[in-house]
Every structure is written in C-alpha cells, then in structure tokens.
Amino acid sequence: MKTLSVYASDQINLQQDSKNTLDLIDFYNEATEDYAFWSKDFNMHFGYFHGGRTSIFKRDSMLNEMNRQVLLRLGLQKKKGTLIDLGCGMGGTMRYVLGQNSKLSAFGVTLSEFQQLEGNKLLKGLKGSILKENFNRTSFASNSFDGALAIESFCHCGHGKNAFEEAYRILKPGGRLVVADAFLKKEPDEFCFGSRLSYRKLCDHWSLEQLGTIQRVTEQLKEIGFTDVSVEDISFRVAPSVLHVPFAISGFILKKLLGNGTLKKESLHNLKGSFYALLSGLHMKSFGYYMITCKK
C-alpha cells in the first residue's frame, strides 16, 4: 500500500503532467498556423540536406527531403500498406508519403483540435485521416500498422518509454518505426553553462518536458523488443535547415508588425524556441539530431 507521502507525490506528478499536456495543446492550437511561414506544406520539422536533391537556399526542398528519408527507412516507398504518424501536426509528412505512393493509406494522431480539423481539410482526396489522440495510448488495435514514424514529436514526452511501447504494440510483426529528433548526448548535469541555459530555454518555449539521451533511448528500444536498431547521427544533414531559423524569425516578425502589429504569446514562444534550438545545435558535444530505425 502506498504511504500518504508517496500518494501525494503521485498526485503532484499527475497534475504536472496534465498541466504540461494542456500547455502543449494550447501552444499548438494557437501557433500551428504560424508554421505556414516556415513551410508552405506545413512541415513542422527541420530538413535534411542531400547534395544531389536539395538546395541549402530552398528550405521546403530540405523539409520534404526529411520526409523522403523517413519513407526510405520505413521501406514503404513502393509497397502497399498502412502507416501511422505519431504526432502528425497538420499532416505534412502524411501528404508527402501518400503523394509518393498511392498504394499506402495513413493515419495520424495529434492532441491539437486545430491540427486535426485543418489537417484533415488538407488531406481531402487522399487516403489519410488525422485523429485527436495521445500517441502514448492510441485507440488502434495491436498489430495494425506496417510502419510508424515520429518526426520531432516524441520529444514532447521526453522520449519516454510509453511512446515507444505504444508504437511497438500497434506495429505488425516486421513493421518498422522511424524516429527523427533531437537527443541529448549526455546527461544535463554534465552540461556546460551555455548548453544548460539553451536547453532550459528550449524546453520552456517549446513545451518540452525534457529530451532523452540517445544512449538511454537506444537501450529502451531493445528492452521493449525492437530489433535491428540503427542509430544515425544526421546533425550535419539537418544543420543547413536550422540555419534558416534567424532569417525565418526576422521575416515572420516583420510580416506580423506590418500586418496587424501584434504577436500572440504562443507565436513568441515558438520564435524563442526556434532561436534556442539554433543555439542548442551549436553545442554539438551536448546535443545531436538523430534518425533511429528499428523493427518489431
């Protein structure tokens, strides 16, 4: 039986989790439309530079190249199957994938009602649908999907084990999970002052609980039962798109000020978070951007 002090501690943790979730929902309900300035396709992530296919001056080409690289690692670029995007945003990656392979169907989950409603409008005519659900505990039956992806979404639960366990549950045997995200290379208490400051500000402004360390997450995946776990450090591939951040911020602020003259608090948080993402990326001994591929 739990002691009173342990029970009280659990209640505080539950309340904190609820507050974090509500903050996250509010953030994306209000700030998602701002991403149109970052990507005409509403790709709410950083890009992947590929010398033969992209230009460092064309952000959208790099953002869609990230989608292509994820699809390649899923092994579904020519196959029939069903895909799940865990934390899909406005469905930018889903639309890219469905446009590349008409044999696929796709589902996405998001906590944001705005993303669900507007994203489904953009998916009209495609074999895709966005549901308002938590990727830690979806309503899908076990063994439902041929592939699962999470681009810069599992960071919102601190790369916690629950998200990976749920992905494992809903994947079919042999199905693959691909995660593209920023991770820590060491524990925060080992950071220098600059890394610690950037990390704290990044989490505050992007509604992140924390980031997982790449070593611990890799170990978790194997404990859950995933096999063929491949970890690629793609930091230098992602860096050219990250360098677009100061120009995008400047252009966005100028557009807003010349328009209605106001910036929503969520927009300000988003802009500040983007700035601290850039600063964090400069601390390469503490942070890295990785592509993880594994199989059930």
Side-chain angles (χ1 to χ4, degrees):
M1 180 179 294
K2 293 182 178 180
T3 66
L4 182 60
S5 62
V6 172
Y7 178 78
S9 176
D10 286 349
Q11 291 298 101
I12 292 171
N13 288 336
L14 284 172
Q15 290 171 3
Q16 184 64 41
D17 288 344
S18 298
K19 181 181 184 301
N20 289 339
T21 299
L22 290 172
D23 288 345
L24 179 64
I25 293 171
D26 289 341
F27 174 77
Y28 277 115
N29 278 341
E30 295 298 326
T32 295
E33 61 183 341
D34 296 341
Y35 277 88
F37 197 84
W38 175 255
S39 164
K40 63 181 178 62
D41 297 318
F42 281 99
N43 282 310
M44 298 170 65
H45 53 73
F46 289 115
Y48 186 104
F49 176 72
H50 185 295
R53 299 180 58 88
T54 61
S55 166
I56 60 173
F57 301 107
K58 295 182 178 180
R59 187 165 60 244
D60 273 301
S61 70
M62 292 188 286
L63 302 183
N64 279 314
E65 182 62 21
M66 178 67 82
N67 294 331
R68 191 181 81 90
Q69 293 293 328
V70 169
L71 180 59
L72 286 172
R73 286 160 179 77
L74 287 169
L76 295 175
Q77 60 269 34
K78 295 182 180 180
K79 296 180 181 178
K80 183 178 181 180
T82 306
L83 181 71
I84 178 74
D85 187 338
L86 297 164
C88 63
M90 290 274 281
T93 300
M94 292 170 63
R95 292 193 302 278
Y96 176 87
V97 167
L98 295 173
Q100 295 296 306
N101 182 358
S102 61
K103 298 177 184 177
L104 288 176
S105 57
F107 287 89
V109 296
T110 177
L111 289 172
S112 166
E113 185 174 1
F114 177 87
Q115 291 180 342
Q116 180 200 20
L117 295 174
E118 298 303 315
N120 277 325
K121 291 177 184 177
L122 295 172
L123 280 164
K124 189 174 181 180
L126 297 172
K127 293 186 292 185
S129 180
I130 297 175
L131 306 179
K132 186 173 179 290
E133 294 193 6
N134 189 325
F135 56 58
N136 285 309
R137 47 185 184 277
T138 71
S139 62
F140 300 105
S142 298
N143 306 316
S144 293
F145 295 98
D146 299 283
L149 66 96
I151 304 179
E152 298 175 25
S153 56
F154 282 2
C155 54
H156 286 294
C157 67
H159 300 115
K161 196 172 183 179
N162 288 347
F164 294 105
E165 287 177 333
E166 179 65 359
Y168 187 86
R169 182 186 72 80
I170 62 179
L171 275 172
K172 296 177 182 178
R176 293 182 186 176
L177 167 68
V178 177
V179 177
D181 215 335
F183 292 88
L184 306 182
K185 292 183 176 180
K186 52 188 176 183
E187 297 296 336
D189 59 8
E190 301 176 80
F191 285 178
C192 67
F193 174 79
S195 294
R196 193 179 303 115
L197 176 64
S198 298
Y199 178 51
R200 187 175 70 248
K201 294 291 187 179
L202 174 67
C203 291
D204 287 346
H205 290 297
W206 268 357
S207 295
L208 305 177
E209 296 177 25
Q210 61 183 359
L211 296 179
T213 64
I214 189 63
Q215 181 179 357
R216 185 168 67 248
V217 168
T218 303
E219 291 170 354
Q220 283 180 354
L221 289 169
K222 294 176 181 177
E223 290 171 3
I224 290 168
F226 282 104
T227 61
D228 299 342
V229 180
S230 169
V231 179
E232 305 169 72
D233 187 339
I234 59 170
S235 301
F236 286 105
R237 297 282 189 179
V238 173
S241 65
V242 178
L243 292 175
H244 279 248
V245 166
F247 304 103
I249 290 176
S250 301
F252 179 79
I253 292 175
L254 184 61
K255 180 182 177 181
K256 284 289 185 179
L257 294 180
L258 292 176
N260 56 24
T262 59
L263 283 169
K264 294 179 292 187
K265 67 175 183 178
E266 290 81 10
S267 298
L268 283 171
H269 276 303
N270 200 11
L271 295 173
K272 290 178 180 179
S274 299
F275 173 72
Y276 284 109
L278 173 60
L279 287 187
S280 298
L282 297 176
H283 293 270
M284 299 197 68
K285 290 184 179 180
S286 301
F287 303 92
Y289 197 107
Y290 293 85
M291 186 94 74
I292 303 174
T293 307
C294 50
K295 184 170 70 174
K296 178 174 178 178

